[in-house]
Every structure is written in structure tokens, then in C-alpha cells.
């Protein structure tokens, strides 16, 4: 059996790792996945700061190698270069400036992650797993985070196309960066603040083969790190 040309280092529980596996699945690129937590020995062996994910490239121009590519936005650019189709970019000639897609990606990665995961999801899951706090105590603990969450989601919906994916008829990297965050948020009570447009979008994303193929091990199916 031929060795897969790529290895993804990172637990499926990691939202950034899932962004990468969503892209690989969508573009039908074969890979193996080494599930590990950030700051683990394996993570530190493959990323100088122990972050996730790392993509190990086992072949370049037909020659065997083991190049380690770190940081999600560097990895997606490599994926686009080796497999430009099906495209995850805005099509030229669309009504939206093509770079707006990368703007949205940055909004998800730089702001959405700390607001959704750090401010709401992770404190919620930690409290549920520990079982020490009442629901009311947890709500009080994260109330400021929920306010920021509502503000962020309102902004996100204002940037989305009226229907379909984030920018319309076809998915882009913007969808694949935001979806893992919203899939996690859907598993906590604070999902109730999510508006109609994002609810519809998540349901649309659920039908993608890449989403179904990358669900195992994520919070969305009850997984834990």
C-alpha cells in the first residue's frame, strides 16, 4: 500500500487542524493524521512552539522528503498550489473583491477563535467535565464572553452573502476556517444566541462530504482532547 503523500500532526479536536483536514478532504488529497495535543512531545517535535497543526510533506516534485510546514495559513496556500481545483477561492469576476475572502479568514482565525473558544466554549466544556459549578455559576463566569460572542456573530452575519455559503454558491477557505468554531459552539447552551443566517449556513456545511469525513474526534460528536 502506497504511503500517503502528507501527514497532518494534530488532534481532530483542534479547530485549526480540522480546517486543514477539511481542505485536504475537499480536494481529495490523501493524508495520514497523527492525533496529538498542543505542547505534546510530538507537537514540539514538529512545530517550534508546539502548536497545531503541522503538515509533513513526504514528496516534492517526485522526490522523497519530509518537509514540515507549520501555521494554517501557510498550509492552505501550499494545498492551493498543489491542488488548485476544486477552488476554495472567490471566483474572479465575482461582485466581491477576491481578497475579502482572506480578510474573513483572518477575522475567524485572529478574532473568532479567542472569542468563541477561549471566551465561551472551552470554559463551558471545562466546567461540564469537572462538574463543580452550577449552570448559573458558569453563565455568570462567561457572561462577558457571551456579550463579545454576540457582537462577533453579528459582525460575521453582516459580512455573509444572503444565502448559501459565506460568499455565496460555493465554499471557500472562509467557510473552512469558521465552521470548526461554530461546530464547537453548537455543542454548548450559548448556541442559542446564534442568528438565523448562521444556523442555515451551518446546516448547509453539514452536508459537505468533507465535513462528514472530518467529524470523528471533534467536540461536535462528543469528542475530547
Amino acid at each position: 500500500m502506497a504511503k500517503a503523500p502528507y501527514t497532518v500532526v494534530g488532534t481532530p479536536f483542534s479547530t485549526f487542524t480540522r480546517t486543514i483536514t477539511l481542505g485536504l478532504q475537499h480536494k481529495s488529497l490523501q493524508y495520514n493524521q497523527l492525533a496529538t495535543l498542543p505542547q505534546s512531545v510530538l507537537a514540539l517535535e514538529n512545530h517550534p512552539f508546539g502548536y497545531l497543526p503541522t503538515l509533513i510533506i513526504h514528496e516534492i516534485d517526485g522526490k522523497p522528503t519530509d518537509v514540515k510546514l507549520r501555521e494554517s495559513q501557510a498550509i492552505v496556500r501550499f494545498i492551493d498550489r498543489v491542488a488548485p481545483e476544486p477552488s476554495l477561492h472567490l471566483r474572479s469576476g465575482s461582485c466581491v473583491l477576491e481578497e475579502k475572502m482572506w480578510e474573513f479568514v483572518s477575522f475567524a482565525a485572529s478574532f473568532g477563535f479567542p472569542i468563541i473558544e477561549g471566551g465561551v466554549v472551552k470554559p463551558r466544556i471545562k466546567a461540564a467535565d469537572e462538574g463543580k459549578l452550577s449552570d448559573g455559576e458558569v453563565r455568570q463566569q462567561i457572561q462577558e464572553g457571551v456579550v463579545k460572542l454576540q457582537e462577533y456573530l453579528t459582525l460575521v452575519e453582516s459580512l455573509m452573502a444572503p444565502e448559501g455559503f459565506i460568499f455565496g454558491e460555493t465554499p471557500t477557505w472562509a467557510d473552512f476556517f469558521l465552521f470548526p468554531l461554530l461546530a464547537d459552539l453548537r455543542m454548548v447552551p450559548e448556541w442559542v444566541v446564534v442568528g438565523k443566517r448562521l444556523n442555515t449556513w451551518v446546516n448547509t456545511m453539514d452536508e459537505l462530504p468533507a465535513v462528514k469525513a472530518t467529524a470523528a474526534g471533534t467536540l461536535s460528536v462528543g469528542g475530547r482532547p
Side-chain angles (χ1 to χ4, degrees):
M1 186 175 179
K3 180 180 180 181
Y6 309 108
T7 297
V8 176
V9 179
T11 172
F13 197 82
S14 157
T15 56
F16 285 109
T17 299
R18 192 177 188 190
T19 289
I20 298 307
T21 56
L22 280 167
L24 292 168
Q25 288 282 347
H26 186 73
K27 291 174 179 284
S28 299
L29 294 174
Q30 299 299 309
Y31 65 94
N32 292 319
Q33 186 165 0
L34 300 177
T36 192
L37 298 177
Q39 306 304 314
S40 67
V41 172
L42 183 58
L44 286 164
E45 286 175 352
N46 289 282
H47 190 294
F49 302 107
Y51 282 30
L52 305 176
T54 293
L55 182 72
I56 305 176
I57 304 159
H58 299 298
E59 181 181 301
I60 296 178
D61 296 330
K63 298 178 181 179
T65 185
D66 283 311
V67 173
K68 296 174 182 177
L69 188 60
R70 298 91 167 197
E71 297 300 296
S72 298
Q73 293 197 43
I75 296 170
V76 302
R77 281 161 173 77
F78 171 80
I79 292 173
D80 281 338
R81 182 164 63 80
V82 299
E85 297 294 336
S87 176
L88 285 168
H89 290 250
L90 287 174
R91 300 289 183 179
S92 59
S94 68
C95 297
V96 181
L97 189 70
E98 292 179 49
E99 288 75 14
K100 294 295 283 184
M101 187 271 290
W102 291 115
E103 175 189 80
F104 194 104
V105 164
S106 186
F107 285 165
S110 300
F111 303 100
F113 180 81
I115 290 171
I116 296 173
E117 295 289 342
V120 177
V121 173
K122 289 183 179 180
R124 255 295 179 188
I125 297 303
K126 180 181 179 183
D129 288 348
E130 292 178 348
K132 297 178 181 179
L133 300 176
S134 67
D135 180 69
E137 289 172 324
V138 177
R139 289 181 186 275
Q140 183 175 9
Q141 186 181 78
I142 65 173
Q143 62 182 352
E144 290 185 11
V146 174
V147 171
K148 291 180 180 179
L149 171 67
Q150 289 175 296
E151 293 172 349
Y152 177 76
L153 295 178
T154 298
L155 170 66
V156 165
E157 288 196 324
S158 75
L159 298 173
M160 297 174 72
E163 57 185 12
F165 297 99
I166 289 174
F167 287 104
E169 295 181 359
T170 59
T172 66
W173 283 114
D175 297 277
F176 285 177
F177 270 84
L178 184 64
F179 179 76
L181 302 175
L182 270 290
D184 280 4
L185 182 62
R186 184 165 48 176
M187 300 304 293
V188 300
E190 285 65 35
W191 177 258
V192 70
V193 306
V194 176
K196 181 179 179 180
R197 175 67 180 99
L198 278 169
N199 267 279
T200 302
W201 170 78
V202 166
N203 292 336
T204 299
M205 290 293 293
D206 281 338
E207 297 305 311
L208 290 178
V211 167
K212 296 176 180 179
T214 57
T218 67
L219 181 62
S220 66
V221 292
R224 289 293 187 274

